[in-house]
Amino acid sequence: MLSATSLSNHPVSLISLPATPTSPNPKEFAASEPEDLSIPIIDFSLLTSGDPNCRTQIIQDLGKACEKWGFFMVIECAHTLPNTSTLEFVVHVIRVQPPIGYCNRVVNHGVPESLMKGVITACDEFFNLREEEKEEFEGKHELDPIRCGTSFHAKIDKVFYWRDFVKAFVHPEFHFPDKPTGFRKAEMGWVFLDPCWNNHGRSHRMIWEHLSAIGSDPLVPMKSSMISVSLLILPTQPNLTKAGREDLHMSASLLCHKTIIYFSGFDGGEGLVADRLGPLRLSIKLISSTDLACAPHSRPCYAPTWIEHELRPPHYLAAFSLAVCAPQQAPFTITSRWLGGKTLRCKSKNPKDERECSLQTFYPPCPQPQLAMGLPPHSDHGILTLLIQNEVGGLQLKHNGEWVHVTPVPNSILVNTGDHLEILSNGRYKSVLHRAVVNKNTTRISLAMANGPSLDSVVSPALELLDGEGQLPAYLPMKYKDYLKLQQSNHLDGKACLDRVRI
Ligand SMILES: O=C(O)CCC(=O)C(=O)O
Ligand SMILES: [Fe+2]
């Protein structure tokens, strides 16, 4: 496999790149630099705020962000942004009542920094494997669970982009290359619960399915066999109206998304490295949303259910994919509520089949960045894509006809709208065009998580919208599987794929 990494490491590549007819015009890469400061910022802690006005405000802000930009950033509140006065959507932080002991972690997007850094470092290790080691993951077909490569579609692309990638379906089944071992070194300080367990009638079993997805290595027995786990505290509100209850349910599910289970009972208290551990008996206290809705005081009164299970060592990517459930679900739930308060039938009939795909991209230093392309302009196929990156810029997005450079903000998650959201909202939330440029000196790594319905779901404008607003459908229905195949088997070319279903 001719990878960008191997070219970059090769002395010849330090001289020049061959110009090809598809080499971009250098002017094309110009982006309006500081503009990105107005990219909407969303503070996730407001979504779980006990103050209904705050929630209403943030819901509206999210809707506007999706509509005007198709793009927003979720930050940790500990981070101070440069020049905040110019931000269009700065909102002040109101923290939810903190869970026992660990309040500072459950704020905003709720994904621990160590996990974000760990998964990026593990990606780096993967791309630096020898070419022969990566070859076995090349993948032959568009829907292969793991695919590794350089150009978008090796058979038809005339240009190799200056990047290497590995794509993997991480949900409903978790797939990922079994190398390098670094991916399995996630610290065992936390595990995330599936957020939907408590308000969509999911059984506790689901949780275990998720937890078991975290890893599959056999473990050796360990000495300290019991781990106690403290679970969640949710904001509680007496005398809830129906709307209030709905909000609480939403908040509960959002907070559960972010619930961090802390393990205790180990000596030393330092981070626990998975491969030092044997089988862990994990006990989790579960409370249901009914208990929550009834809880009159700040501490919900509930009858906890204890379950025990053997936990396997976590995989960085599996842990990350669970961790980003909230940022993925929340904007969608909220933007659909914002569409006249209707709940769009957006997703698969069975949420268990929803598809989540992770795409890790590695852009090594490029000798002539003005002649190379990292990733051409395109929109993503799913509902929303969440993206994290190392601290090297390169992502640009199209806003009001201009390319806007996105400056990386440490510990932030970028969220962009995808084609499926555009179709579903009948064009109200457009999928955003974006691209990646490369640079001469530094490697850039990004990790995108795209989520969509199950492969057999038919993607079409939401009936609720059409009925309610007397609109005609602006997109033809298509099976998600066929849409994915169509997009993945052609050149990556702006919104060409979406244009095929546009009426
Ligand atoms: O590397 C980036 O920032 C962009 C990646 C991207 O657009 C994608 O994975 O779809
Ligand atoms: Fe993308």
Side-chain angles (χ1 to χ4, degrees):
M1 179 169 67
L2 181 63
S3 69
T5 316
S6 59
L7 274 178
S8 167
N9 292 335
H10 199 280
V12 172
S13 70
L14 295 177
I15 304 166
S16 69
L17 287 180
T20 69
T22 40
S23 292
N25 174 350
K27 268 199 204 147
E28 269 191 21
F29 284 167
S32 47
E33 283 287 329
E35 273 296 310
D36 68 314
L37 287 177
S38 53
I39 284 174
I41 305 285
I42 298 296
D43 177 348
F44 255 65
S45 64
L46 293 180
L47 294 171
T48 49
S49 158
D51 178 348
N53 295 333
C54 270
R55 289 197 303 271
T56 308
Q57 183 60 48
I58 196 75
I59 286 166
Q60 284 181 2
D61 288 351
L62 260 169
K64 278 190 223 153
C66 287
E67 198 165 305
K68 286 194 181 165
W69 281 83
F71 197 87
F72 57 92
M73 224 183 254
V74 188
I75 54 163
E76 279 292 297
C77 72
H79 187 77
T80 321
L81 281 160
N83 200 7
T84 44
S85 58
T86 64
L87 296 169
E88 203 180 335
F89 286 95
V90 170
V91 281
H92 47 237
V93 176
I94 298 174
R95 293 184 184 210
V96 293
Q97 184 178 355
I100 312 164
Y102 293 94
C103 55
N104 55 340
R105 305 288 282 283
V106 189
V107 291
N108 302 344
H109 59 62
V111 183
E113 196 176 354
S114 60
L115 178 56
M116 292 171 67
K117 287 202 166 124
V119 79
I120 292 285
T121 308
C123 286
D124 193 21
E125 286 173 23
F126 176 83
F127 288 108
N128 280 300
L129 289 174
R130 282 180 291 112
E131 295 307 312
E132 311 81 82
E133 286 183 282
K134 282 180 277 183
E135 250 163 36
E136 68 174 283
F137 306 114
E138 259 179 58
K140 303 278 176 287
H141 305 289
E142 293 84 24
L143 299 182
D144 279 350
I146 303 177
R147 265 192 322 134
C148 185
T150 290
S151 69
F152 190 70
H153 196 274
K155 286 198 198 111
I156 55 171
D157 280 347
K158 294 198 183 59
V159 64
F160 285 94
Y161 303 121
W162 196 260
R163 61 142 193 181
D164 293 331
F165 71 84
V166 55
K167 282 184 196 178
F169 287 119
V170 293
H171 189 80
E173 295 92 39
F174 179 74
H175 300 273
F176 206 74
D178 51 7
K179 304 172 207 170
T181 49
F183 266 111
R184 286 209 179 276
K185 281 195 194 138
E187 287 191 348
M188 292 202 72
W190 27 256
V191 166
F192 294 85
L193 287 186
D194 180 317
C196 303
W197 66 270
N198 69 350
N199 66 344
H200 295 308
R202 292 186 176 196
S203 68
H204 295 168
R205 208 180 145 64
M206 285 284 298
I207 295 173
W208 293 123
E209 280 167 16
H210 280 284
L211 289 178
S212 339
I214 284 172
S216 57
D217 285 349
L219 298 167
V220 281
M222 63 170 271
K223 281 179 244 139
S224 162
S225 64
M226 189 66 189
I227 295 171
S228 65
V229 174
S230 51
L231 199 58
L232 68 165
I233 294 264
L234 289 159
T236 54
Q237 298 181 351
N239 310 323
L240 284 175
T241 58
K242 187 167 175 290
R245 245 193 328 270
E246 274 173 20
D247 274 351
L248 181 63
H249 274 235
M250 187 171 76
S251 308
S253 82
L254 291 172
L255 196 62
C256 285
H257 274 290
K258 295 193 284 182
T259 297
I260 297 174
I261 306 173
Y262 285 92
F263 298 93
S264 56
F266 285 95
D267 294 339
E270 76 222 26
L272 301 166
V273 179
D275 38 11
R276 292 214 315 264
L277 298 175
L280 309 174
R281 285 173 63 83
L282 171 72
S283 297
I284 295 187
K285 228 185 236 182
L286 297 172
I287 56 175
S288 73
S289 55
T290 334
D291 298 327
L292 287 169
C294 300
H297 309 298
S298 57
R299 278 188 168 236
C301 39
Y302 54 82
T305 314
W306 287 87
I307 42 177
E308 293 188 1
H309 194 76
E310 201 169 275
L311 188 66
R312 298 161 193 279
H315 187 289
Y316 265 122
L317 199 71
F320 183 74
S321 111
L322 286 179
V324 294
C325 280
Q328 237 158 23
Q329 291 280 343
F332 189 78
T333 316
I334 287 157
T335 47
S336 58
R337 282 164 57 108
W338 196 67
L339 284 169
K342 296 181 177 75
T343 309
L344 301 182
R345 258 183 283 135
C346 54
K347 301 250 221 149
S348 326
K349 287 203 187 85
N350 183 358
K352 240 183 112 179
D353 297 333
E354 276 156 25
R355 199 134 280 267
E356 189 170 33
C357 175
S358 84
L359 171 55
Q360 292 66 218
T361 315
F362 187 84
Y363 307 92
C366 177
Q368 290 176 298
Q370 71 282 12
L371 295 180
M373 206 184 273
L375 206 52
H378 68 281
S379 57
D380 297 340
H381 51 76
I383 295 172
L384 290 168
T385 304
L386 276 83
L387 186 124
I388 63 166
Q389 52 190 324
N390 64 354
E391 287 168 22
V392 182
L395 177 65
Q396 299 182 345
L397 64 103
K398 196 90 177 237
H399 178 64
N400 290 342
E402 304 261 326
W403 283 108
V404 174
H405 180 78
V406 183
T407 305
V409 172
N411 205 16
S412 65
I413 299 182
L414 299 166
V415 186
N416 68 267
T417 48
D419 293 348
H420 182 31
L421 186 61
E422 175 166 339
I423 296 172
L424 190 74
S425 66
N426 207 27
R428 179 157 185 178
Y429 298 120
K430 301 270 185 301
S431 58
V432 67
L433 269 182
H434 54 287
R435 65 184 183 185
V437 298
V438 288
N439 75 81
K440 204 167 182 168
N441 305 313
T442 335
T443 296
R444 173 159 185 270
I445 299 173
S446 71
L447 192 165
M449 285 275 173
N451 95 333
S454 69
L455 288 180
D456 288 324
S457 299
V458 174
V459 177
S460 61
L463 284 179
E464 292 89 334
L465 263 185
L466 302 181
D467 291 349
E469 299 182 11
Q471 294 176 29
L472 291 174
Y475 304 82
L476 295 168
M478 191 186 253
K479 251 192 191 173
Y480 191 52
K481 186 199 286 176
D482 298 333
Y483 194 85
L484 261 181
K485 272 197 195 152
L486 187 69
Q487 199 225 27
Q488 303 280 312
S489 58
N490 281 289
H491 293 290
L492 199 53
D493 176 17
K495 292 176 81 164
C497 187
L498 194 66
D499 291 340
R500 301 272 284 269
V501 295
R502 215 186 287 277
I503 295 175

